[in-house]
Amino acid sequence: MADLSREELDGIYAFAVNLGKEAGRMLMDAAQLRFGDERPKEKEHVEKENAVDLVTQTDEDVEAFIKDQITKKYPLHKFIGEETYSKGASRDYLIGNEPTWCVDPLDGTVNYIHLFPMFCVSIGFIVNGKATIGVVYAPFLNQLFSACSGRGAWLNETQQLPLVRNPIPPMPAKAPAGCVFSCEWGKDRKDRPDSNLHRKVESFVNMAAEIGGRNGRGGMVHGMRCLGSATLDLAYTAMGSFDIWWEGGCWEWDVAAGIAILSEAGGLVTTANPPENEATAPVEEVKLGSRLYLAIRPAGPSPTETGREGQERTVREVWRRVRNLDYSRPGA
Amino acid sequence: MADLSREELDGIYAFAVNLGKEAGRMLMDAAQLRFGDERPKEKEHVEKENAVDLVTQTDEDVEAFIKDQITKKYPLHKFIGEETYSKGASRDYLIGNEPTWCVDPLDGTVNYIHLFPMFCVSIGFIVNGKATIGVVYAPFLNQLFSACSGRGAWLNETQQLPLVRNPIPPMPAKAPAGCVFSCEWGKDRKDRPDSNLHRKVESFVNMAAEIGGRNGRGGMVHGMRCLGSATLDLAYTAMGSFDIWWEGGCWEWDVAAGIAILSEAGGLVTTANPPENEATAPVEEVKLGSRLYLAIRPAGPSPTETGREGQERTVREVWRRVRNLDYSRPGA
């Protein structure tokens, strides 16, 4: 398929934003069925069901809605959704050069089950392997993040990202000190020597500990945050709220929309796993299906370096403090 | 001073809610000075200041505003504010039986500096040593939490807390499994053997690890969350979003309003540090100035136990997995 024209892409973007709003409202409507006590008869049956089953059903319903809308409007586009994919046998990376929608109907599922507001719908559109459009809507927070390559990244369609942009601040001179570091414990909790859990914890402690601690690896980050949503981690990195996000184990639908938004805002996304020669190896662009992600917020120049140089310096300072995580992927 | 009448208390509550809204708007107005790029001249000077200085100034301004409003309306009430207290030499616990306002003008300061939305104003009112009124307003999230003893706990004045209340779910049978666990890394990052940092991390890993792991201490919680605001941790526990919050090192202004809200919603707050005989020791009510907090969400009965029994069972399961933290307090 030939490249999309500017006009086609803008049309797809407008469609995606509306789709995100509608899907987010579906999520919130289903959540609100569980609130309050005004309609005891109806609610009683809802609350007697297992909240997890209810959420699984919502997840499937919202994905079916999104897929149906996309298929009607763009029958030639490919569709990859979290629910559909997870039911299949293959764990291969399936995104090629053709225009592809990559969708998580509900990111932050645990949050949604517990009604913690950090959940969202995540709609990514990928062209030639590149995350080109991203729409993330967190309805409980009333926060809509959107971006299209060449059109800027936005909060609620009115505030351009990053929020502080006159000028965009440089990365802190002593990063990761001065940085907010976002990370996730995830679901992989095996207590074996050198398991991913222990590699993560060792990395977290290095980032947190005082300067001079941990045999020189102490990063003394300004704050450690865990939200339970990879998509929102990326969206808040695009906002400039988080300086660094480091994670392994999630999938392309968890990050496609967020990477589109962060990239358009001026952020950098590369691999979580430190390469050999971490101090000098090139900082390569992330592979969407790699399951290993390190994201740095948009950064402006300082008197001594460009924004990109500051971001790459921060990447290397993170790599110096984190362990390789053991996630892999056929085809990525 | 004699006890306050219901009417007096309701008047103080209405005043506190309005005060919280006004103070929250001040925080958001100051934050928005840093957004966008529409007014380059004005903003240039703002952005050239250190963001930290700007925030410190806002913190002080908002506390002065709140103190001024309270002093005008209730000249006989005592006032304790984070900014004022921190400048004094004493670290004693100063709250007695007299009606006392306990205020943090800005909780989640690191979040505010970085413009991550999890910041708020926190206004507590204490009578006879008990947190009786709480108002927490997070303006970027547009979330106002409020409660007054005997009047229920509310989100945005319309949705009663906890959100799911028909019925209020019991604590999970295998808690902490099935629970969302909220915790904070905090500022105390010393890398010494058995420092608070390492005690916290050991506790976090116990709560996170698979069942059977960690020599039987693995808690396999459903999710680990870190927001960077003790006040909002408590507010989300009152909502039912978090099942457990465990923390040491914060101060009474960080928790007074949140404890009032959580208590009124039906939650339980006790000490973070496991007592001797953790399996049988009484679960005592938290001391507001103790700097050691363990909070459990509101819980309904199951077929085999009351809500309170489920909460106490969860407290003991947490105590079994966490280390004592080394924070103390004269007078508390």
Side-chain angles (χ1 to χ4, degrees), chain A residues 50-84:
Chain A
N50 187 317
V52 176
D53 294 342
L54 193 75
V55 167
T56 306
Q57 189 59 50
T58 304
D59 215 345
E60 287 176 8
D61 290 349
V62 174
E63 178 159 321
F65 167 77
I66 294 173
K67 186 176 182 178
D68 183 59
Q69 296 291 308
I70 290 173
T71 308
K72 274 186 200 153
K73 178 91 177 181
Y74 299 108
L76 299 178
H77 291 178
K78 189 162 152 183
F79 179 90
I80 291 175
E82 194 258 342
E83 289 299 306
T84 320

PDB file of all heavy atoms in Angstrom, chain A residues 50-84:
ATOM      1  N   ASN A  50     -18.850 -11.493  39.907  1.00  0.00           N
ATOM      2  CA  ASN A  50     -17.462 -11.220  40.232  1.00  0.00           C
ATOM      3  C   ASN A  50     -17.030  -9.963  39.473  1.00  0.00           C
ATOM      4  O   ASN A  50     -17.245  -9.857  38.258  1.00  0.00           O
ATOM      5  CB  ASN A  50     -16.636 -12.425  39.788  1.00  0.00           C
ATOM      6  CG  ASN A  50     -15.210 -12.308  40.226  1.00  0.00           C
ATOM      7  OD1 ASN A  50     -14.613 -11.230  40.129  1.00  0.00           O
ATOM      8  ND2 ASN A  50     -14.653 -13.393  40.717  1.00  0.00           N
ATOM      9  N   ALA A  51     -16.438  -9.000  40.176  1.00  0.00           N
ATOM     10  CA  ALA A  51     -16.012  -7.760  39.514  1.00  0.00           C
ATOM     11  C   ALA A  51     -15.058  -8.067  38.366  1.00  0.00           C
ATOM     12  O   ALA A  51     -15.053  -7.378  37.347  1.00  0.00           O
ATOM     13  CB  ALA A  51     -15.360  -6.829  40.526  1.00  0.00           C
ATOM     14  N   VAL A  52     -14.276  -9.118  38.518  1.00  0.00           N
ATOM     15  CA  VAL A  52     -13.310  -9.458  37.473  1.00  0.00           C
ATOM     16  C   VAL A  52     -14.023  -9.901  36.194  1.00  0.00           C
ATOM     17  O   VAL A  52     -13.662  -9.502  35.089  1.00  0.00           O
ATOM     18  CB  VAL A  52     -12.336 -10.545  37.973  1.00  0.00           C
ATOM     19  CG1 VAL A  52     -11.393 -10.981  36.857  1.00  0.00           C
ATOM     20  CG2 VAL A  52     -11.527 -10.025  39.157  1.00  0.00           C
ATOM     21  N   ASP A  53     -15.070 -10.711  36.338  1.00  0.00           N
ATOM     22  CA  ASP A  53     -15.842 -11.138  35.166  1.00  0.00           C
ATOM     23  C   ASP A  53     -16.464  -9.942  34.460  1.00  0.00           C
ATOM     24  O   ASP A  53     -16.478  -9.853  33.234  1.00  0.00           O
ATOM     25  CB  ASP A  53     -16.972 -12.089  35.577  1.00  0.00           C
ATOM     26  CG  ASP A  53     -16.420 -13.403  36.118  1.00  0.00           C
ATOM     27  OD1 ASP A  53     -15.238 -13.692  35.846  1.00  0.00           O
ATOM     28  OD2 ASP A  53     -17.161 -14.100  36.807  1.00  0.00           O
ATOM     29  N   LEU A  54     -16.999  -9.039  35.262  1.00  0.00           N
ATOM     30  CA  LEU A  54     -17.624  -7.832  34.739  1.00  0.00           C
ATOM     31  C   LEU A  54     -16.624  -7.047  33.904  1.00  0.00           C
ATOM     32  O   LEU A  54     -16.933  -6.541  32.804  1.00  0.00           O
ATOM     33  CB  LEU A  54     -18.087  -6.995  35.933  1.00  0.00           C
ATOM     34  CG  LEU A  54     -19.033  -5.846  35.687  1.00  0.00           C
ATOM     35  CD1 LEU A  54     -20.426  -6.392  35.433  1.00  0.00           C
ATOM     36  CD2 LEU A  54     -19.076  -4.929  36.920  1.00  0.00           C
ATOM     37  N   VAL A  55     -15.419  -6.943  34.421  1.00  0.00           N
ATOM     38  CA  VAL A  55     -14.392  -6.173  33.742  1.00  0.00           C
ATOM     39  C   VAL A  55     -13.956  -6.878  32.459  1.00  0.00           C
ATOM     40  O   VAL A  55     -13.789  -6.247  31.411  1.00  0.00           O
ATOM     41  CB  VAL A  55     -13.193  -5.935  34.687  1.00  0.00           C
ATOM     42  CG1 VAL A  55     -11.992  -5.414  33.927  1.00  0.00           C
ATOM     43  CG2 VAL A  55     -13.588  -4.970  35.790  1.00  0.00           C
ATOM     44  N   THR A  56     -13.800  -8.186  32.518  1.00  0.00           N
ATOM     45  CA  THR A  56     -13.425  -8.948  31.326  1.00  0.00           C
ATOM     46  C   THR A  56     -14.459  -8.734  30.219  1.00  0.00           C
ATOM     47  O   THR A  56     -14.116  -8.525  29.060  1.00  0.00           O
ATOM     48  CB  THR A  56     -13.337 -10.450  31.675  1.00  0.00           C
ATOM     49  OG1 THR A  56     -12.448 -10.594  32.782  1.00  0.00           O
ATOM     50  CG2 THR A  56     -12.839 -11.259  30.514  1.00  0.00           C
ATOM     51  N   GLN A  57     -15.726  -8.755  30.618  1.00  0.00           N
ATOM     52  CA  GLN A  57     -16.799  -8.551  29.640  1.00  0.00           C
ATOM     53  C   GLN A  57     -16.706  -7.146  29.029  1.00  0.00           C
ATOM     54  O   GLN A  57     -16.843  -6.977  27.809  1.00  0.00           O
ATOM     55  CB  GLN A  57     -18.148  -8.762  30.332  1.00  0.00           C
ATOM     56  CG  GLN A  57     -19.332  -8.790  29.374  1.00  0.00           C
ATOM     57  CD  GLN A  57     -19.190  -9.908  28.346  1.00  0.00           C
ATOM     58  OE1 GLN A  57     -18.934 -11.052  28.689  1.00  0.00           O
ATOM     59  NE2 GLN A  57     -19.320  -9.578  27.069  1.00  0.00           N
ATOM     60  N   THR A  58     -16.480  -6.148  29.860  1.00  0.00           N
ATOM     61  CA  THR A  58     -16.358  -4.776  29.369  1.00  0.00           C
ATOM     62  C   THR A  58     -15.187  -4.657  28.400  1.00  0.00           C
ATOM     63  O   THR A  58     -15.313  -4.066  27.314  1.00  0.00           O
ATOM     64  CB  THR A  58     -16.140  -3.807  30.557  1.00  0.00           C
ATOM     65  OG1 THR A  58     -17.208  -3.974  31.474  1.00  0.00           O
ATOM     66  CG2 THR A  58     -16.092  -2.366  30.089  1.00  0.00           C
ATOM     67  N   ASP A  59     -14.058  -5.241  28.792  1.00  0.00           N
ATOM     68  CA  ASP A  59     -12.862  -5.264  27.961  1.00  0.00           C
ATOM     69  C   ASP A  59     -13.204  -5.810  26.555  1.00  0.00           C
ATOM     70  O   ASP A  59     -12.896  -5.181  25.526  1.00  0.00           O
ATOM     71  CB  ASP A  59     -11.852  -6.194  28.654  1.00  0.00           C
ATOM     72  CG  ASP A  59     -10.413  -5.746  28.499  1.00  0.00           C
ATOM     73  OD1 ASP A  59     -10.145  -4.893  27.651  1.00  0.00           O
ATOM     74  OD2 ASP A  59      -9.559  -6.271  29.230  1.00  0.00           O
ATOM     75  N   GLU A  60     -13.873  -6.948  26.532  1.00  0.00           N
ATOM     76  CA  GLU A  60     -14.225  -7.574  25.254  1.00  0.00           C
ATOM     77  C   GLU A  60     -15.227  -6.739  24.481  1.00  0.00           C
ATOM     78  O   GLU A  60     -15.105  -6.569  23.262  1.00  0.00           O
ATOM     79  CB  GLU A  60     -14.805  -8.977  25.504  1.00  0.00           C
ATOM     80  CG  GLU A  60     -13.738  -9.971  25.921  1.00  0.00           C
ATOM     81  CD  GLU A  60     -14.311 -11.349  26.258  1.00  0.00           C
ATOM     82  OE1 GLU A  60     -15.515 -11.577  26.015  1.00  0.00           O
ATOM     83  OE2 GLU A  60     -13.538 -12.188  26.765  1.00  0.00           O
ATOM     84  N   ASP A  61     -16.222  -6.193  25.161  1.00  0.00           N
ATOM     85  CA  ASP A  61     -17.242  -5.382  24.490  1.00  0.00           C
ATOM     86  C   ASP A  61     -16.618  -4.138  23.848  1.00  0.00           C
ATOM     87  O   ASP A  61     -16.964  -3.774  22.728  1.00  0.00           O
ATOM     88  CB  ASP A  61     -18.314  -4.930  25.488  1.00  0.00           C
ATOM     89  CG  ASP A  61     -19.185  -6.080  25.966  1.00  0.00           C
ATOM     90  OD1 ASP A  61     -19.103  -7.181  25.380  1.00  0.00           O
ATOM     91  OD2 ASP A  61     -19.938  -5.879  26.944  1.00  0.00           O
ATOM     92  N   VAL A  62     -15.710  -3.492  24.592  1.00  0.00           N
ATOM     93  CA  VAL A  62     -15.117  -2.251  24.075  1.00  0.00           C
ATOM     94  C   VAL A  62     -14.198  -2.566  22.895  1.00  0.00           C
ATOM     95  O   VAL A  62     -14.199  -1.848  21.887  1.00  0.00           O
ATOM     96  CB  VAL A  62     -14.377  -1.482  25.202  1.00  0.00           C
ATOM     97  CG1 VAL A  62     -13.636  -0.277  24.633  1.00  0.00           C
ATOM     98  CG2 VAL A  62     -15.374  -1.037  26.269  1.00  0.00           C
ATOM     99  N   GLU A  63     -13.436  -3.660  22.974  1.00  0.00           N
ATOM    100  CA  GLU A  63     -12.602  -4.018  21.826  1.00  0.00           C
ATOM    101  C   GLU A  63     -13.458  -4.343  20.600  1.00  0.00           C
ATOM    102  O   GLU A  63     -13.151  -3.919  19.485  1.00  0.00           O
ATOM    103  CB  GLU A  63     -11.676  -5.203  22.143  1.00  0.00           C
ATOM    104  CG  GLU A  63     -10.847  -5.586  20.920  1.00  0.00           C
ATOM    105  CD  GLU A  63      -9.592  -6.370  21.265  1.00  0.00           C
ATOM    106  OE1 GLU A  63      -8.940  -6.043  22.274  1.00  0.00           O
ATOM    107  OE2 GLU A  63      -9.248  -7.286  20.501  1.00  0.00           O
ATOM    108  N   ALA A  64     -14.551  -5.080  20.819  1.00  0.00           N
ATOM    109  CA  ALA A  64     -15.437  -5.420  19.696  1.00  0.00           C
ATOM    110  C   ALA A  64     -16.014  -4.152  19.063  1.00  0.00           C
ATOM    111  O   ALA A  64     -16.083  -4.028  17.826  1.00  0.00           O
ATOM    112  CB  ALA A  64     -16.556  -6.337  20.182  1.00  0.00           C
ATOM    113  N   PHE A  65     -16.391  -3.195  19.892  1.00  0.00           N
ATOM    114  CA  PHE A  65     -16.915  -1.921  19.382  1.00  0.00           C
ATOM    115  C   PHE A  65     -15.870  -1.192  18.541  1.00  0.00           C
ATOM    116  O   PHE A  65     -16.142  -0.750  17.417  1.00  0.00           O
ATOM    117  CB  PHE A  65     -17.366  -1.042  20.557  1.00  0.00           C
ATOM    118  CG  PHE A  65     -17.630   0.382  20.183  1.00  0.00           C
ATOM    119  CD1 PHE A  65     -18.801   0.741  19.528  1.00  0.00           C
ATOM    120  CD2 PHE A  65     -16.694   1.376  20.458  1.00  0.00           C
ATOM    121  CE1 PHE A  65     -19.039   2.057  19.163  1.00  0.00           C
ATOM    122  CE2 PHE A  65     -16.918   2.703  20.099  1.00  0.00           C
ATOM    123  CZ  PHE A  65     -18.095   3.044  19.437  1.00  0.00           C
ATOM    124  N   ILE A  66     -14.658  -1.102  19.075  1.00  0.00           N
ATOM    125  CA  ILE A  66     -13.591  -0.373  18.367  1.00  0.00           C
ATOM    126  C   ILE A  66     -13.276  -1.075  17.043  1.00  0.00           C
ATOM    127  O   ILE A  66     -13.171  -0.434  15.984  1.00  0.00           O
ATOM    128  CB  ILE A  66     -12.323  -0.276  19.250  1.00  0.00           C
ATOM    129  CG1 ILE A  66     -12.591   0.599  20.475  1.00  0.00           C
ATOM    130  CG2 ILE A  66     -11.149   0.270  18.446  1.00  0.00           C
ATOM    131  CD1 ILE A  66     -11.455   0.614  21.497  1.00  0.00           C
ATOM    132  N   LYS A  67     -13.142  -2.387  17.108  1.00  0.00           N
ATOM    133  CA  LYS A  67     -12.802  -3.147  15.901  1.00  0.00           C
ATOM    134  C   LYS A  67     -13.897  -2.981  14.842  1.00  0.00           C
ATOM    135  O   LYS A  67     -13.602  -2.776  13.654  1.00  0.00           O
ATOM    136  CB  LYS A  67     -12.626  -4.628  16.262  1.00  0.00           C
ATOM    137  CG  LYS A  67     -12.124  -5.478  15.111  1.00  0.00           C
ATOM    138  CD  LYS A  67     -11.881  -6.918  15.548  1.00  0.00           C
ATOM    139  CE  LYS A  67     -11.340  -7.731  14.376  1.00  0.00           C
ATOM    140  NZ  LYS A  67     -11.052  -9.119  14.780  1.00  0.00           N
ATOM    141  N   ASP A  68     -15.135  -3.017  15.269  1.00  0.00           N
ATOM    142  CA  ASP A  68     -16.267  -2.883  14.354  1.00  0.00           C
ATOM    143  C   ASP A  68     -16.260  -1.507  13.677  1.00  0.00           C
ATOM    144  O   ASP A  68     -16.441  -1.387  12.457  1.00  0.00           O
ATOM    145  CB  ASP A  68     -17.553  -3.103  15.161  1.00  0.00           C
ATOM    146  CG  ASP A  68     -18.782  -3.054  14.275  1.00  0.00           C
ATOM    147  OD1 ASP A  68     -18.845  -3.883  13.343  1.00  0.00           O
ATOM    148  OD2 ASP A  68     -19.661  -2.203  14.499  1.00  0.00           O
ATOM    149  N   GLN A  69     -16.041  -0.469  14.463  1.00  0.00           N
ATOM    150  CA  GLN A  69     -16.005   0.889  13.910  1.00  0.00           C
ATOM    151  C   GLN A  69     -14.863   1.028  12.894  1.00  0.00           C
ATOM    152  O   GLN A  69     -15.038   1.612  11.825  1.00  0.00           O
ATOM    153  CB  GLN A  69     -15.813   1.914  15.031  1.00  0.00           C
ATOM    154  CG  GLN A  69     -16.956   1.979  16.034  1.00  0.00           C
ATOM    155  CD  GLN A  69     -18.223   2.552  15.425  1.00  0.00           C
ATOM    156  OE1 GLN A  69     -18.212   3.620  14.827  1.00  0.00           O
ATOM    157  NE2 GLN A  69     -19.304   1.816  15.537  1.00  0.00           N
ATOM    158  N   ILE A  70     -13.710   0.500  13.237  1.00  0.00           N
ATOM    159  CA  ILE A  70     -12.550   0.615  12.342  1.00  0.00           C
ATOM    160  C   ILE A  70     -12.786  -0.185  11.065  1.00  0.00           C
ATOM    161  O   ILE A  70     -12.522   0.295   9.947  1.00  0.00           O
ATOM    162  CB  ILE A  70     -11.263   0.132  13.064  1.00  0.00           C
ATOM    163  CG1 ILE A  70     -10.864   1.138  14.156  1.00  0.00           C
ATOM    164  CG2 ILE A  70     -10.121  -0.059  12.063  1.00  0.00           C
ATOM    165  CD1 ILE A  70      -9.699   0.684  15.040  1.00  0.00           C
ATOM    166  N   THR A  71     -13.294  -1.394  11.213  1.00  0.00           N
ATOM    167  CA  THR A  71     -13.488  -2.265  10.050  1.00  0.00           C
ATOM    168  C   THR A  71     -14.491  -1.661   9.074  1.00  0.00           C
ATOM    169  O   THR A  71     -14.326  -1.765   7.850  1.00  0.00           O
ATOM    170  CB  THR A  71     -13.966  -3.661  10.530  1.00  0.00           C
ATOM    171  OG1 THR A  71     -13.057  -4.114  11.523  1.00  0.00           O
ATOM    172  CG2 THR A  71     -13.980  -4.648   9.390  1.00  0.00           C
ATOM    173  N   LYS A  72     -15.517  -1.017   9.616  1.00  0.00           N
ATOM    174  CA  LYS A  72     -16.508  -0.362   8.741  1.00  0.00           C
ATOM    175  C   LYS A  72     -15.895   0.808   7.986  1.00  0.00           C
ATOM    176  O   LYS A  72     -16.130   0.989   6.792  1.00  0.00           O
ATOM    177  CB  LYS A  72     -17.667   0.176   9.589  1.00  0.00           C
ATOM    178  CG  LYS A  72     -18.757  -0.851   9.871  1.00  0.00           C
ATOM    179  CD  LYS A  72     -19.905  -0.150  10.599  1.00  0.00           C
ATOM    180  CE  LYS A  72     -20.780  -1.159  11.319  1.00  0.00           C
ATOM    181  NZ  LYS A  72     -21.449  -0.566  12.476  1.00  0.00           N
ATOM    182  N   LYS A  73     -15.113   1.591   8.694  1.00  0.00           N
ATOM    183  CA  LYS A  73     -14.584   2.833   8.103  1.00  0.00           C
ATOM    184  C   LYS A  73     -13.359   2.563   7.239  1.00  0.00           C
ATOM    185  O   LYS A  73     -13.185   3.194   6.195  1.00  0.00           O
ATOM    186  CB  LYS A  73     -14.235   3.799   9.240  1.00  0.00           C
ATOM    187  CG  LYS A  73     -13.621   5.116   8.804  1.00  0.00           C
ATOM    188  CD  LYS A  73     -14.647   6.190   8.580  1.00  0.00           C
ATOM    189  CE  LYS A  73     -13.971   7.514   8.227  1.00  0.00           C
ATOM    190  NZ  LYS A  73     -14.938   8.582   8.032  1.00  0.00           N
ATOM    191  N   TYR A  74     -12.500   1.663   7.678  1.00  0.00           N
ATOM    192  CA  TYR A  74     -11.234   1.389   6.980  1.00  0.00           C
ATOM    193  C   TYR A  74     -11.059  -0.111   6.785  1.00  0.00           C
ATOM    194  O   TYR A  74     -10.214  -0.743   7.427  1.00  0.00           O
ATOM    195  CB  TYR A  74     -10.056   1.964   7.773  1.00  0.00           C
ATOM    196  CG  TYR A  74     -10.126   3.465   7.953  1.00  0.00           C
ATOM    197  CD1 TYR A  74     -10.422   4.027   9.188  1.00  0.00           C
ATOM    198  CD2 TYR A  74      -9.903   4.325   6.863  1.00  0.00           C
ATOM    199  CE1 TYR A  74     -10.502   5.406   9.350  1.00  0.00           C
ATOM    200  CE2 TYR A  74      -9.982   5.706   7.026  1.00  0.00           C
ATOM    201  CZ  TYR A  74     -10.285   6.234   8.272  1.00  0.00           C
ATOM    202  OH  TYR A  74     -10.365   7.594   8.421  1.00  0.00           O
ATOM    203  N   PRO A  75     -11.843  -0.698   5.871  1.00  0.00           N
ATOM    204  CA  PRO A  75     -11.823  -2.168   5.735  1.00  0.00           C
ATOM    205  C   PRO A  75     -10.475  -2.724   5.290  1.00  0.00           C
ATOM    206  O   PRO A  75     -10.214  -3.915   5.506  1.00  0.00           O
ATOM    207  CB  PRO A  75     -12.919  -2.438   4.689  1.00  0.00           C
ATOM    208  CG  PRO A  75     -13.191  -1.126   4.033  1.00  0.00           C
ATOM    209  CD  PRO A  75     -12.851  -0.060   5.000  1.00  0.00           C
ATOM    210  N   LEU A  76      -9.619  -1.886   4.718  1.00  0.00           N
ATOM    211  CA  LEU A  76      -8.328  -2.413   4.261  1.00  0.00           C
ATOM    212  C   LEU A  76      -7.241  -2.367   5.337  1.00  0.00           C
ATOM    213  O   LEU A  76      -6.160  -2.910   5.162  1.00  0.00           O
ATOM    214  CB  LEU A  76      -7.853  -1.635   3.022  1.00  0.00           C
ATOM    215  CG  LEU A  76      -8.794  -1.733   1.814  1.00  0.00           C
ATOM    216  CD1 LEU A  76      -8.257  -0.896   0.650  1.00  0.00           C
ATOM    217  CD2 LEU A  76      -8.950  -3.195   1.381  1.00  0.00           C
ATOM    218  N   HIS A  77      -7.526  -1.686   6.458  1.00  0.00           N
ATOM    219  CA  HIS A  77      -6.508  -1.602   7.513  1.00  0.00           C
ATOM    220  C   HIS A  77      -6.485  -2.890   8.333  1.00  0.00           C
ATOM    221  O   HIS A  77      -7.507  -3.537   8.527  1.00  0.00           O
ATOM    222  CB  HIS A  77      -6.794  -0.428   8.458  1.00  0.00           C
ATOM    223  CG  HIS A  77      -6.594   0.918   7.810  1.00  0.00           C
ATOM    224  ND1 HIS A  77      -6.828   2.096   8.470  1.00  0.00           N
ATOM    225  CD2 HIS A  77      -6.177   1.267   6.564  1.00  0.00           C
ATOM    226  CE1 HIS A  77      -6.565   3.115   7.668  1.00  0.00           C
ATOM    227  NE2 HIS A  77      -6.182   2.634   6.496  1.00  0.00           N
ATOM    228  N   LYS A  78      -5.306  -3.207   8.821  1.00  0.00           N
ATOM    229  CA  LYS A  78      -5.138  -4.357   9.706  1.00  0.00           C
ATOM    230  C   LYS A  78      -5.501  -3.947  11.138  1.00  0.00           C
ATOM    231  O   LYS A  78      -5.333  -2.784  11.527  1.00  0.00           O
ATOM    232  CB  LYS A  78      -3.672  -4.783   9.631  1.00  0.00           C
ATOM    233  CG  LYS A  78      -3.326  -6.087  10.303  1.00  0.00           C
ATOM    234  CD  LYS A  78      -1.972  -6.561   9.747  1.00  0.00           C
ATOM    235  CE  LYS A  78      -1.217  -7.416  10.732  1.00  0.00           C
ATOM    236  NZ  LYS A  78       0.102  -7.784  10.171  1.00  0.00           N
ATOM    237  N   PHE A  79      -5.965  -4.890  11.928  1.00  0.00           N
ATOM    238  CA  PHE A  79      -6.357  -4.606  13.321  1.00  0.00           C
ATOM    239  C   PHE A  79      -5.718  -5.608  14.276  1.00  0.00           C
ATOM    240  O   PHE A  79      -5.846  -6.815  14.100  1.00  0.00           O
ATOM    241  CB  PHE A  79      -7.880  -4.669  13.461  1.00  0.00           C
ATOM    242  CG  PHE A  79      -8.358  -4.412  14.868  1.00  0.00           C
ATOM    243  CD1 PHE A  79      -8.652  -3.117  15.293  1.00  0.00           C
ATOM    244  CD2 PHE A  79      -8.487  -5.449  15.791  1.00  0.00           C
ATOM    245  CE1 PHE A  79      -9.071  -2.868  16.596  1.00  0.00           C
ATOM    246  CE2 PHE A  79      -8.896  -5.212  17.097  1.00  0.00           C
ATOM    247  CZ  PHE A  79      -9.193  -3.917  17.490  1.00  0.00           C
ATOM    248  N   ILE A  80      -5.044  -5.100  15.270  1.00  0.00           N
ATOM    249  CA  ILE A  80      -4.508  -5.948  16.340  1.00  0.00           C
ATOM    250  C   ILE A  80      -5.013  -5.409  17.674  1.00  0.00           C
ATOM    251  O   ILE A  80      -4.765  -4.253  18.020  1.00  0.00           O
ATOM    252  CB  ILE A  80      -2.967  -5.981  16.317  1.00  0.00           C
ATOM    253  CG1 ILE A  80      -2.495  -6.746  15.078  1.00  0.00           C
ATOM    254  CG2 ILE A  80      -2.411  -6.635  17.594  1.00  0.00           C
ATOM    255  CD1 ILE A  80      -1.010  -6.744  14.874  1.00  0.00           C
ATOM    256  N   GLY A  81      -5.761  -6.232  18.394  1.00  0.00           N
ATOM    257  CA  GLY A  81      -6.299  -5.806  19.689  1.00  0.00           C
ATOM    258  C   GLY A  81      -5.853  -6.760  20.774  1.00  0.00           C
ATOM    259  O   GLY A  81      -5.625  -7.944  20.519  1.00  0.00           O
ATOM    260  N   GLU A  82      -5.741  -6.232  21.960  1.00  0.00           N
ATOM    261  CA  GLU A  82      -5.228  -7.024  23.080  1.00  0.00           C
ATOM    262  C   GLU A  82      -6.076  -8.267  23.321  1.00  0.00           C
ATOM    263  O   GLU A  82      -5.563  -9.359  23.488  1.00  0.00           O
ATOM    264  CB  GLU A  82      -5.203  -6.144  24.338  1.00  0.00           C
ATOM    265  CG  GLU A  82      -4.395  -6.705  25.475  1.00  0.00           C
ATOM    266  CD  GLU A  82      -5.232  -7.335  26.560  1.00  0.00           C
ATOM    267  OE1 GLU A  82      -6.439  -7.042  26.618  1.00  0.00           O
ATOM    268  OE2 GLU A  82      -4.683  -8.128  27.331  1.00  0.00           O
ATOM    269  N   GLU A  83      -7.387  -8.092  23.322  1.00  0.00           N
ATOM    270  CA  GLU A  83      -8.273  -9.215  23.636  1.00  0.00           C
ATOM    271  C   GLU A  83      -8.209 -10.298  22.565  1.00  0.00           C
ATOM    272  O   GLU A  83      -8.092 -11.478  22.864  1.00  0.00           O
ATOM    273  CB  GLU A  83      -9.712  -8.711  23.783  1.00  0.00           C
ATOM    274  CG  GLU A  83      -9.940  -7.888  25.031  1.00  0.00           C
ATOM    275  CD  GLU A  83      -9.675  -8.692  26.291  1.00  0.00           C
ATOM    276  OE1 GLU A  83     -10.266  -9.762  26.442  1.00  0.00           O
ATOM    277  OE2 GLU A  83      -8.842  -8.262  27.103  1.00  0.00           O
ATOM    278  N   THR A  84      -8.295  -9.861  21.290  1.00  0.00           N
ATOM    279  CA  THR A  84      -8.263 -10.800  20.178  1.00  0.00           C
ATOM    280  C   THR A  84      -6.942 -11.553  20.155  1.00  0.00           C
ATOM    281  O   THR A  84      -6.893 -12.779  20.049  1.00  0.00           O
ATOM    282  CB  THR A  84      -8.429 -10.023  18.851  1.00  0.00           C
ATOM    283  OG1 THR A  84      -9.415  -8.996  19.028  1.00  0.00           O
ATOM    284  CG2 THR A  84      -8.845 -10.940  17.723  1.00  0.00           C
TER     285      THR A  84
END
